[in-house]
C-alpha cells in the first residue's frame, strides 16, 4: 500500500509551489510557515507521532477542525486569524489534490471547510487634532525623536503599509520637482506617492542627517539595523501615549501603524478626493476596498442627513385586525 509522507509534500509545497511556481512574497511564505508550525505541533500532540513521521492522511478534516478551534480558544486568536490559517491549509491541500489524485477525496473534505464569519467593525482613524498631537510628540532635540517624527509624518501623509515603510531605502525618496516616495506594495506592484511640503522638509533634514548610500535603509535602529515591524509598532505606541497627555481623545483609541494608513485615506476622503484616486494612492487591488472609508466617515453621513426632511406622517402603532396576525405579533 502506497504511503504519503507529510514532510515530502510540505517541503515541495514551500519550495516548488510557493517559491518557484507562485513566486510568493516573503511575507506570504512566513505566514504559511507559521501556520504549519502550529498545525504540526498540534497534530503531534493529537496523533502521538513526530512531524517527520506524519502521513498526509493524518491531517484530515476532523484534525484541522480541532486545530482551528484550538487556536481560537487556547491561543485566543480572532476569527480573522483563524481564517488566515485555514487559507494556508487549503492552499496546501489544493496542491496535494492536484499532484496525488488518489488523495482527492481526503483533500476535498478539508477544502470544503468554510471560513468563519466575523464582525466587520468600523475602522479607527485619527482626527486632525489627534494627528497634530501625535506628530508633535517626538522630541526633536534627539536623534531618535527626529527619526520618529519623520517616520510618523511620512506614514500619516502617504498611508504606506508598515511593511512598505520598513523596506524603504534612501534612494526611494525623490525630493526634487514632483517630490514623491517609491515603494513596492502587495502583489509586487510598484507605486509612487506624492509628498507634501512639510513632509519634504522633514525628509530632506533626515536624509542629510543619515548621509547614507541610496541602497541603505531609510529608517534604522540605534544599532544601524533596518527597523522591524515590531519596532515601528513600539514607536507608534510610545508616542501615542505621550500625545494622549495633551489630546485626551487618543486615550480611547488603540492606534497601530495601520490606523495611520486609515488616517491618510480618511484625510483624502474628507477633502473631496475620489475613492478611485484613494485606491491608487493606497495601492489597493480594487476600488471596492475603499468602501470601508465611506462607511467610517460620519461627516459624510451627517451631510447626507442634512439634505433630508423630517417625516410628517402621524405617529401611530400597528394593530392587527385578525387574531392570527395578532398571534404572530406576539412571537
Amino acid at each position: 500500500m502506497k504511503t504519503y509522507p507529510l514532510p515530502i509534500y510540505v517541503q515541495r509545497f514551500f519550495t516548488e509551489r510557493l517559491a518557484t511556481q507562485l513566486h510568493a512574497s516573503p511575507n506570504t511564505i512566513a505566514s504559511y510557515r507559521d501556520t504549519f508550525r502550529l498545525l504540526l505541533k498540534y497534530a503531534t500532540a493529537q496523533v502521538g507521532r513526530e512531524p517527520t513521521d506524519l502521513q498526509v492522511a493524518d491531517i484530515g478534516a476532523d484534525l484541522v477542525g480541532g486545530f482551528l478551534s484550538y487556536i481560537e480558544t487556547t491561543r485566543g486568536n480572532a476569527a480573522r486569524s483563524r481564517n488566515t490559517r485555514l487559507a494556508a491549509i487549503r492552499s496546501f491541500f489544493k496542491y496535494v489534490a492536484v499532484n496525488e489524485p488518489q488523495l482527492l477525496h481526503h483533500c476535498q473534505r478539508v477544502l470544503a471547510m468554510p471560513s468563519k464569519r466575523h464582525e466587520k467593525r468600523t475602522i479607527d482613524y485619527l482626527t486632525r487634532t489627534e494627528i497634530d498631537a501625535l506628530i508633535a510628540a517626538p522630541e526633536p532635540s534627539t536623534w531618535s525623536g527626529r527619526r520618529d517624527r519623520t517616520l510618523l509624518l511620512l506614514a500619516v501623509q502617504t498611508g504606506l503599509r508598515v511593511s512598505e515603510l520598513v523596506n524603504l531605502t534612501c534612494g526611494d525618496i525623490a525630493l526634487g520637482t514632483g517630490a514623491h516616495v517609491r515603494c513596492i506594495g502587495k502583489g509586487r506592484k510598484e507605486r509612487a506617492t506624492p509628498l507634501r511640503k512639510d513632509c519634504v522638509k522633514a525628509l530632506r533634514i533626515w536624509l542629510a542627517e543619515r548621509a547614507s548610500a541610496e541602497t541603505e535603509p531609510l529608517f534604522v535602529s540605534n544599532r544601524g539595523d533596518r527597523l522591524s515591524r515590531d519596532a515601528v509598532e513600539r514607536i507608534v505606541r510610545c508616542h501615542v501615549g505621550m500625545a494622549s497627555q495633551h489630546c485626551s481623545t487618543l486615550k480611547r483609541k488603540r492606534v497601530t501603524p495601520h490606523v495611520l494608513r486609515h488616517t491618510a485615506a480618511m484625510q483624502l476622503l474628507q477633502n473631496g478626493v475620489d475613492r478611485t484616486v484613494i485606491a491608487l494612492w493606497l495601492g489597493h487591488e480594487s476600488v471596492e476596498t475603499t468602501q470601508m472609508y465611506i462607511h467610517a466617515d460620519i461627516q459624510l453621513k451627517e451631510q447626507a442627513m442634512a439634505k433630508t426632511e423630517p417625516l410628517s406622517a402621524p405617529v401611530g402603532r400597528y394593530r392587527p385586525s385578525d387574531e392570527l396576525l395578532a398571534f404572530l405579533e406576539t412571537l
Side-chain angles (χ1 to χ4, degrees), residues 124 126 134 151-152 155-157 159 236 255-265:
D124 292 322
L126 305 184
L134 178 60
L151 186 150
L152 293 172
V156 169
Q157 198 253 289
V236 172
V255 183
T256 65
H258 209 69
V259 170
L260 303 185
R261 177 173 167 83
H262 292 327
T263 300

Side-chain angles (χ1 to χ4, degrees), residues 139 141-149 151 206 209-210 212 216-228 231-232 234-235 238-239:
E139 177 54 57
S141 62
T142 64
W143 178 87
S144 61
R146 292 189 292 274
R147 176 201 64 191
D148 295 352
R149 183 181 183 277
L151 186 150
W206 175 246
E209 187 168 359
R210 282 282 287 129
S212 299
E216 290 294 309
L218 179 62
F219 298 111
V220 294
S221 65
N222 294 333
R223 298 186 299 273
D225 301 325
R226 185 186 298 273
L227 286 179
S228 65
V232 175
R234 285 195 298 271
I235 289 171
C238 171
H239 294 300

Side-chain angles (χ1 to χ4, degrees), residues 319-330:
R319 296 183 183 279
S321 58
D322 183 85
E323 290 184 3
L324 180 57
L325 293 177
F327 164 74
L328 293 174
E329 281 295 310
T330 64

Side-chain angles (χ1 to χ4, degrees), residues 79-135:
R80 287 179 181 271
S81 298
R82 172 202 183 274
N83 292 342
T84 300
R85 302 302 184 197
L86 179 57
I89 296 170
R90 280 176 178 166
S91 182
F92 170 72
F93 277 96
K94 285 180 183 177
Y95 171 77
V96 174
V98 169
N99 288 273
E100 295 293 349
Q102 300 90 334
L103 294 173
L104 182 59
H105 179 67
H106 176 78
C107 295
Q108 282 179 334
R109 291 193 63 206
V110 177
L111 294 174
M113 299 182 70
S115 296
K116 191 170 187 177
R117 300 187 69 177
H118 54 82
E119 294 181 1
K120 295 181 180 180
R121 299 180 179 178
T122 304
I123 61 170
D124 292 322
Y125 64 95
L126 305 184
T127 63
R128 188 72 229 181
T129 302
E130 293 166 345
I131 294 172
D132 293 340
L134 178 60
I135 299 301

Side-chain angles (χ1 to χ4, degrees), residues 5 22 34 48 58 93 120 219 230-232 236 242 247 255 298:
L22 296 179
D34 294 342
D58 294 327
F93 277 96
K120 295 181 180 180
F219 298 111
D230 291 340
V232 175
V236 172
M242 296 172 61
C247 183
V255 183
I298 190 65

Side-chain angles (χ1 to χ4, degrees), residues 262-276:
H262 292 327
T263 300
M266 292 302 294
Q267 288 291 304
L268 293 171
L269 181 65
Q270 291 172 352
N271 283 281
V273 178
D274 188 81
R275 66 193 186 107
T276 56

